[in-house]
Amino acid sequence: MKIIGLTGGSGAGKTAVSVCFQALGAGTVDADAVYRNLCAGSRPMLETLAAAFGDVLTPEGALDRPKLAKIVFFDSEKLDILNKLTFPYIRAASEARFMELAKSGHTVILYDAPTLFQTGADALCAAVIGVIASRETRIARIISRDGLSREAAAARIDAQPDEGFYRSRCRFVIENNGTPEELEAQACEIWRKIEKIQ
């Protein structure tokens, strides 16, 4: 089993890259999806977040993600606290999923995690792919995908690392400003290199 990290800022296009790698045969684990599942039902994690951030649970006891987002996306220190508190839960659930995929025959597993380096999850990976895109492209994607205002989309981007962060840390970098065909070509080239990693 070979774990390949996939990371990048919001709106860079990690999901589109993940789809390309799934088509090539990779198993995939999405850390955000793992986190969403935990937000709905992990009592220990939810109690930890409520203790740290106050009234962030819904009446049903799930995490009120929009309310928490308003607290952390405009405050980098609080975002760091959120990452540190949630990472152990996300890591444990992700590792369980890695094992399931390996048992089903996947030899390469793509771990899509926006905060891969910040949480130390890059240590799980044989290599890391960073996905980058221009600021305007990312803002447009976030507005389209999440229905946010331009100001809110820009604030989300500004709370995250810049392009240089990914270029300096990732073994592979995909620039996702072009067509789907150009993206697929980059993914295929990286896939050939990944297959050679011992």
Side-chain angles (χ1 to χ4, degrees), residues 8 17 42 61 78-79 81 84 90 105 107 113 120 150 158:
V17 172
S42 171
K78 288 180 180 173
L79 185 59
I81 291 168
K84 286 184 176 72
I90 296 169
T107 56
R150 181 181 174 82
D158 291 340

Side-chain angles (χ1 to χ4, degrees), residues 60-139:
E60 297 75 32
L63 185 67
D64 187 332
R65 294 182 71 210
K67 185 180 282 187
L68 181 60
K70 286 179 183 172
I71 295 170
V72 302
F73 275 123
F74 294 96
D75 187 326
S76 60
E77 286 182 14
K78 288 180 180 173
L79 185 59
D80 286 342
I81 291 168
L82 174 65
N83 289 335
K84 286 184 176 72
L85 292 177
T86 57
F87 177 63
Y89 298 98
I90 296 169
R91 179 171 178 154
S94 296
E95 288 181 331
R97 184 69 184 128
F98 296 159
M99 297 311 297
E100 290 172 11
L101 288 167
K103 285 177 185 173
S104 70
H106 290 283
T107 56
V108 176
I109 298 168
L110 198 68
Y111 188 34
D112 180 349
T115 56
L116 190 79
F117 291 107
Q118 297 91 321
T119 56
D122 58 302
L124 302 172
C125 304
V128 178
I129 302 165
V131 185
I132 60 174
S134 72
R135 180 181 174 83
E136 284 306 312
T137 297
R138 291 174 63 196
I139 287 173

Side-chain angles (χ1 to χ4, degrees), residues 45-56 68 71 78 81-82 85:
M45 188 185 85
L46 294 172
E47 288 168 7
T48 298
L49 294 180
F53 296 106
D55 179 25
V56 292
L68 181 60
I71 295 170
K78 288 180 180 173
I81 291 168
L82 174 65
L85 292 177

